[in-house]
């Protein structure tokens, strides 16, 4: 949707160029995921380095010589740090953001160490897996994710990340919650961008079929909005309608209800307050019309 909108705004007709940028933006979601996930690993490293330097001070205190290492020995942090899947993905995608911007890791580490969450965790002498896990979940959710300095850094780094941050963070939290005590170091797997090759092909097909058939797709709803001048309909709404109609007519494996629900969610996020009602009404009527005219062809049980 954003790529098609960008094409409209720039009056571009270079389909190949815009499609390339679309996939570039999607690949960047993976980079953002790895950056956020590796922040936990880098925070652990930063604290280990701090404890080591403190213990080597000429006039170190007893506490500095014999520090409480509960945080750096946290079982979840150790698992993530030693995980091959994460290590290989970071190397493959050449993720070195924190090496170049270590000040942000220090900001996050300071925020953690100044929190009540940290104080409570460190004061408990027990070393239980579930406590370690809950602590890291809470640190990520309550301290790292809402950190304004981190958000500003991500926003300045890549504009396309702004819409992806909630998705990425939600997935990481889900993965952290899924870790079990019985899991070994390599049980944790880096999330994939695409489920399979068909999943990736869907992106290409939806983009191309919508862009190459915009006029044809617009004809399907132009007479369904008699009380709306076409120029008064928000551009995002017209793009969403074209994409939704494209899915309804040209993607037989996607259930009509799924299509409608997905595009209503997009409209709620990116368009006007009344757009979802407007879009829902048009798509509902079109589905009924397509069924009557045998234009809605769906393959498989329960796909209507």
């Amino acid at each position: 949707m954003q790529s098609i909108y960008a094409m409209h705004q720039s009056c571009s007709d270079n389909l190949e160029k815009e499609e390339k940028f679309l996939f570039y933006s999607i690949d960047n979601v993976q980079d953002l995921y790895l950056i956020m996930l590796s922040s936990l690993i880098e925070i652990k490293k930063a604290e280990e380095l701090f404890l080591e330097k403190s213990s080597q001070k000429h006039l170190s205190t007893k506490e500095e010589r014999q520090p409480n290492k509960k945080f750096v020995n946290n079982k979840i942090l150790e698992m993530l740090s030693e995980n091959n899947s994460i290590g290989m993905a970071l190397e493959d995608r050449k993720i070195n953001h924190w090496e170049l911007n270590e000040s942000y890791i220090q900001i996050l580490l300071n925020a953690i160490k100044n929190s009540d969450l940290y104080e409570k965790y460190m004061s408990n002498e027990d070393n239980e897996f579930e406590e370690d896990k809950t602590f890291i979940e809470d640190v990520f959710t309550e301290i790292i994710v809402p950190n304004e300095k981190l958000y500003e850094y991500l926003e300045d780094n890549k504009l396309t990340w702004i819409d992806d941050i909630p998705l990425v963070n939600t997935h990481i939290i889900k993965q952290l919650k899924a870790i079990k005590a019985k899991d070994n170091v390599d049980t944790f797997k880096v999330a994939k961008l695409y489920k399979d090759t068909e999943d990736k092909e869907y992106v290409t097909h939806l983009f191309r079929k919508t862009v190459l058939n915009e006029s044809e797709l617009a004809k399907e709803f132009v007479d369904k909005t008699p009380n709306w001048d076409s120029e008064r309909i928000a551009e995002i709404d017209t793009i969403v309608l074209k994409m939704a109609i494209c899915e309804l007519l040209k993607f037989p494996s996607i259930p009509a209800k799924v299509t409608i629900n997905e595009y209503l969610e997009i409209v709620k996020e990116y368009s006007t307050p009344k757009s979802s009602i407007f879009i829902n009404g048009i798509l509902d009527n079109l589905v009924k019309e397509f069924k009557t005219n045998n234009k809605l062809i769906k393959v498989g049980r329960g796909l209507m």
Side-chain angles (χ1 to χ4, degrees), residues 71 74 117-118 121 131-139:
F71 177 62
N74 179 283
L117 191 65
Y118 179 85
Y121 174 73
E131 185 198 16
D132 281 1
K133 176 183 168 183
T134 301
F135 173 69
I136 296 304
E137 289 173 16
D138 292 342
V139 161

Side-chain angles (χ1 to χ4, degrees), residues 107-298:
I107 288 171
L108 295 175
L109 177 57
N110 291 340
I112 292 169
K113 293 173 72 172
N114 290 328
S115 69
D116 293 336
L117 191 65
Y118 179 85
E119 183 179 355
K120 180 181 177 182
Y121 174 73
M122 297 298 283
S123 64
N124 184 358
E125 296 182 0
D126 293 335
N127 290 287
E128 300 293 333
F129 177 86
E130 286 303 323
E131 185 198 16
D132 281 1
K133 176 183 168 183
T134 301
F135 173 69
I136 296 304
E137 289 173 16
D138 292 342
V139 161
F140 191 80
T141 305
E142 299 176 22
I143 300 177
I144 296 178
V145 168
N147 188 277
E148 291 184 5
K149 292 292 184 181
L150 175 61
Y151 185 87
E152 289 172 4
Y153 161 70
L154 296 173
E155 184 178 27
D156 291 343
N157 200 282
K158 280 190 174 64
L159 187 61
T160 57
W161 278 349
I162 301 306
D163 291 328
D164 303 324
I165 291 173
L167 169 70
V168 166
N169 288 337
T170 299
H171 190 76
I172 290 175
I173 292 168
K174 182 180 178 181
Q175 285 191 296
L176 291 173
K177 289 181 179 294
I179 297 174
K180 301 290 188 292
K182 64 181 180 180
D183 292 344
N184 61 41
V185 169
D186 288 321
T187 299
F188 187 97
K189 298 296 181 184
V190 167
K192 294 181 179 180
L193 271 177
Y194 305 100
K195 182 176 65 176
D196 48 35
T197 54
E198 184 179 340
D199 202 26
K200 187 173 183 178
E201 288 170 357
Y202 162 78
V203 178
T204 299
H205 294 162
L206 178 61
F207 181 69
R208 289 182 181 179
K209 289 180 179 180
T210 301
V211 172
L212 296 174
N213 296 282
E214 285 201 69
S215 298
E216 174 192 330
L217 295 168
K219 291 176 183 178
E220 298 289 354
F221 66 84
V222 69
D223 62 344
K224 303 295 187 300
T225 57
N227 298 322
W228 288 81
D229 187 314
S230 59
E231 294 183 0
R232 288 179 57 206
I233 303 175
E235 186 165 8
I236 291 293
D237 292 354
T238 63
I239 292 172
V240 166
L241 281 170
K242 290 171 186 175
M243 292 176 69
I245 294 168
C246 182
E247 266 196 22
L248 289 170
L249 296 178
K250 301 180 184 296
F251 291 80
S253 65
I254 301 177
K257 288 183 179 179
V258 171
T259 293
I260 293 176
N261 289 339
E262 291 292 341
Y263 285 101
L264 287 179
E265 289 301 315
I266 291 176
V267 169
K268 288 176 185 176
E269 183 72 23
Y270 293 100
S271 198
T272 67
K274 294 182 179 180
S275 290
S276 60
I277 298 173
F278 172 70
I279 298 291
N280 190 42
I282 292 177
L283 292 180
D284 273 343
N285 288 333
L286 282 174
V287 167
K288 293 174 184 175
E289 181 182 302
F290 291 159
K291 286 180 180 179
T292 301
N293 298 334
N294 293 320
K295 291 178 68 175
L296 192 67
I297 302 171
K298 295 296 180 180

Side-chain angles (χ1 to χ4, degrees), residues 23 26-31 191-195 199:
F23 279 103
I26 293 173
D27 286 341
N28 281 332
V29 177
Q30 181 82 342
D31 291 351
K192 294 181 179 180
L193 271 177
Y194 305 100
K195 182 176 65 176
D199 202 26

